[in-house]
Amino acid sequence: MIDSHAHIDFPEFDDDRAELFKAMRAMGINTALIPGVSPSHWENQLHIAAQYSCPYALGIHPWFFSDNYSAELSELDKAVNQRSQEPKFVAIGECGLDKLRGGDWEIQLKVLEHQLALAKSLNLPVILHVVKAHSELIALLKAVKLARGGVIHGFYGSLEVAQEYVKLGYKLGIGGLILNKDAKKLKACVTNISLNSLIIETDSPAMGPKHLAEKRNTPLILPSIIEEIAKLQKKSSVLVSERMFENVTQLFDL
């Protein structure tokens, strides 16, 4: 198993990161892809990725850009060019659009468009965060036409929206929300979407299922996500696990 989206560089893991990686290995979780969120986070992110041999992405999240976003985008260009030949650097992101918590909408669009162009120029997949902005994002992706596609991280939309992304060549990132009993729309979507279009993730330390005793989410919930997908699709957990592994390794060239 591979967690395709875990912010395992965040301070929530500083006290027990080594123990967590040990527990992950014992559970059959090979690694976690660490997305980038802002220039101020990249140094620590890259240090953790190197220390634990994790694949990583570089990007600017819509919650984290500042008024000086032009300079931050220049920093991203520089960081990406420095690492473009590193095998562990596998994607652009996390980037995207967020109408609930993001900053200025026009700036969000500029910051995302820059990163989509960057992904296209480097022929890399993109890791996309999207909240209440599916129609705008789909229009952008249709215009940009990324050859490698990417993943719609933390997908929680309808089957119709899911099918739009799939038609454009994007995977849907399915995480701990699928484990919530009230996630009826998401469960219906996962039931009716091809396994080929899904990858599994946790967004650790965030987006944990409601039943978790611990507030902090971790990659250790991946087997439960696989079991739930298998139940919804009426397939074996072994088959789902194998397909999820193939999908993530193919998408990010791991």
Side-chain angles (χ1 to χ4, degrees):
M1 290 175 280
I2 294 174
D3 189 338
S4 68
H5 193 117
H7 298 283
I8 218 154
D9 56 315
F10 279 17
E12 287 89 336
F13 297 105
D14 285 351
D15 292 338
D16 64 345
R17 192 174 284 110
E19 291 83 355
L20 177 58
F21 272 98
K22 189 175 179 182
M24 287 163 58
R25 285 191 293 272
M27 200 178 268
I29 300 166
N30 303 44
T31 191
L33 194 162
I34 307 177
V37 295
S38 78
S40 63
H41 289 78
W42 294 338
E43 184 178 356
N44 186 57
Q45 176 204 357
L46 294 168
H47 171 72
I48 300 299
Q51 185 177 0
Y52 294 97
S53 195
C54 293
Y56 66 90
L58 287 171
I60 299 175
H61 190 292
W63 296 0
F64 290 101
F65 65 79
S66 73
D67 291 339
N68 199 17
Y69 68 92
S70 294
E72 290 167 343
L73 289 172
S74 295
E75 282 187 63
L76 176 62
D77 292 344
K78 184 179 176 184
V80 161
N81 288 329
Q82 286 174 342
R83 292 169 177 82
S84 60
Q85 300 307 310
E86 289 186 11
K88 294 289 184 186
F89 171 49
V90 298
I92 297 296
E94 173 180 0
C95 54
L97 298 172
D98 193 321
K99 284 188 176 175
L100 290 186
R101 289 192 55 182
D104 181 276
W105 180 252
E106 292 304 316
I107 297 176
Q108 277 197 57
L109 284 169
K110 287 178 186 175
V111 171
L112 175 58
E113 286 167 354
H114 183 103
Q115 291 177 90
L116 293 176
L118 194 55
K120 187 166 189 174
S121 70
L122 294 167
N123 195 31
L124 285 172
V126 67
I127 298 169
L128 291 161
H129 168 108
V130 54
V131 177
K132 304 289 185 187
H134 288 300
S135 59
E136 293 90 343
L137 181 60
I138 287 167
L140 257 181
L141 297 179
K142 283 179 178 176
V144 175
K145 297 188 174 95
L146 294 184
R148 292 277 302 277
V151 58
I152 310 304
H153 146 65
F155 185 77
Y156 202 68
S158 67
L159 178 60
E160 292 74 23
V161 170
Q163 289 168 334
E164 285 287 309
Y165 287 121
V166 169
K167 274 191 276 185
L168 291 170
Y170 288 79
K171 307 287 189 197
L172 308 176
I174 306 300
L177 298 179
I178 195 75
L179 302 175
N180 293 333
K181 289 181 181 177
D182 60 356
K184 293 177 182 176
K185 184 169 69 171
L186 180 59
K187 289 177 190 284
C189 176
V190 169
T191 301
N192 292 288
I193 285 284
S194 167
L195 281 182
N196 293 333
S197 298
L198 306 177
I199 61 174
I200 53 172
E201 58 168 64
T202 65
D203 199 24
S204 300
M207 284 180 74
K210 292 175 182 176
H211 69 267
L212 266 194
E214 186 186 3
K215 272 193 171 183
R216 182 188 71 167
N217 194 16
T218 78
L220 301 179
I221 69 165
L222 283 184
S224 298
I225 295 170
I226 286 171
E227 285 172 19
E228 182 65 19
I229 294 171
K231 185 176 82 173
L232 292 169
Q233 294 233 348
K234 296 182 171 58
K235 294 181 170 72
S236 74
S237 292
V238 171
L239 185 148
V240 172
S241 183
E242 288 174 349
R243 190 66 57 80
M244 295 302 99
F245 186 81
E246 288 170 8
N247 290 350
V248 72
T249 53
Q250 288 170 4
L251 176 61
F252 295 114
D253 199 18
L254 301 177

